[in-house]
Amino acid sequence: MAPLPPKPGVKGASSAPLDARAREELERQDRHRTEELLDACEKVEEELEKLKGRFELYFLGIDRREPAREREEMKRRVARLKGEFTRNTGLRFRIETLHARFISYERMWTRSAREKEEGTYRRDLIRARRKAELEAKRGGEKRQDAKTAGASPPQEAAAPAAGVPAPVAVAPAPTSEPGPIVPAAVVPTPAEAKRPLPVPAPRPAPPRAAPPLPSGMSEQQLRALYEAYVAAKKRCNEDVSRVSYDALAKSVAKQVPELIAKYKAKTVEFKVVIKDGHAILKAVPRT
């Protein structure tokens, strides 16, 4: 007897088409999940850089409150992102790198906050030393001014010394015709002749013009960006002797209108990133 054909729904009847459709559905879901994780990763990276700037402002003394609540929220988001499963090797490497970067930042923030509480934070010590030197310099100038003001001027002789003729006023001889009036010449005494002439006070140097501020940025934000840029260069062992606040302010002020016109953005934000072992400023147009 010939074998009966397989019935619909029985195993082996249409297994190949079902496997193909299942693989296509899995691949579609995997692509969709990968796109979602990429968007989430970009948002977390952007928020992490903003949080880093907030901590820089706090350690510089511009912000009085430590962003501890924002740090805990960022810690939960990074841990949640690290726990997601993906078959994309590049995305997995990016997530691992983001997690390692956050761990490094968190350790640095914890150490700096502990030093700030103990009074051993390097920036606070440098600021206190500069303040003490400035106060000592001002105190020395005040003591010097008080000493100069308290010194009595040399007393003039009440009467001419013996043998020294008194000042004589020489008037022109009278004439019959009126002429120009000539002032009388006064002959100084020997003591007055030896007295040094007064030295005019030096003119103060004209105040230096402040660098232009970029559109949408305050001076505090620009100085915080400069401090973060210098700190990043020092961590990368780069030379910061030629990095000045005025040069950075002029460069940023020049780039902002060009980037706004180019990308039709409302504002432009700048952040410090480390690329290939070098600290650079990265502009982020915001539409």
Side-chain angles (χ1 to χ4, degrees), residues 154-204:
Q155 298 180 356
E156 297 181 357
V164 179
V168 179
V170 180
T175 57
S176 58
E177 297 181 358
I181 300 176
V182 180
V186 179
V187 180
T189 63
E192 292 178 347
K194 294 180 180 180
R195 188 178 302 168
L197 296 177
V199 179
R203 296 183 179 179

Side-chain angles (χ1 to χ4, degrees), residues 41-103:
C41 189
E42 290 179 357
K43 291 180 181 179
V44 171
E45 287 176 345
E46 183 177 352
E47 294 297 329
L48 180 58
E49 291 300 325
K50 290 183 179 180
L51 182 60
K52 180 185 175 185
R54 291 282 304 277
F55 268 98
E56 288 291 340
L57 294 177
Y58 169 70
F59 291 129
L60 288 173
I62 300 175
D63 285 351
R64 299 298 180 183
R65 184 184 68 86
E66 180 183 0
R69 183 175 58 84
E70 292 83 351
R71 181 181 63 182
E72 292 299 326
E73 177 64 25
M74 179 59 62
K75 185 176 182 179
R76 288 192 294 268
R77 292 178 63 182
V78 172
R80 191 183 309 116
L81 187 62
K82 187 176 183 297
E84 295 290 344
F85 173 76
T86 178
R87 294 185 179 87
N88 192 312
T89 306
L91 179 58
R92 172 54 55 188
F93 177 77
R94 184 174 180 179
I95 293 176
E96 293 291 342
T97 304
L98 176 60
H99 179 261
R101 187 192 311 169
F102 174 76
I103 294 298

Side-chain angles (χ1 to χ4, degrees), residues 143-159:
R143 288 193 297 270
Q144 184 67 23
D145 293 343
K147 184 177 180 180
T148 304
S152 58
Q155 298 180 356
E156 297 181 357

Side-chain angles (χ1 to χ4, degrees), residues 100-147:
R101 187 192 311 169
F102 174 76
I103 294 298
S104 176
Y105 287 167
E106 189 178 30
R107 291 175 180 173
M108 180 182 64
W109 296 335
T110 303
R111 183 180 67 253
S112 299
R114 183 175 64 252
E115 293 177 354
K116 194 174 183 67
E117 292 176 358
E118 296 174 354
T120 59
Y121 187 51
R122 184 175 59 86
R123 291 182 180 177
D124 291 345
L125 294 177
I126 294 176
R127 191 181 299 112
R129 184 163 61 250
R130 289 179 180 175
K131 184 178 181 181
E133 292 176 355
L134 183 60
E135 290 179 355
K137 183 179 179 180
R138 291 178 179 176
E141 292 177 354
K142 289 182 180 180
R143 288 193 297 270
Q144 184 67 23
D145 293 343
K147 184 177 180 180

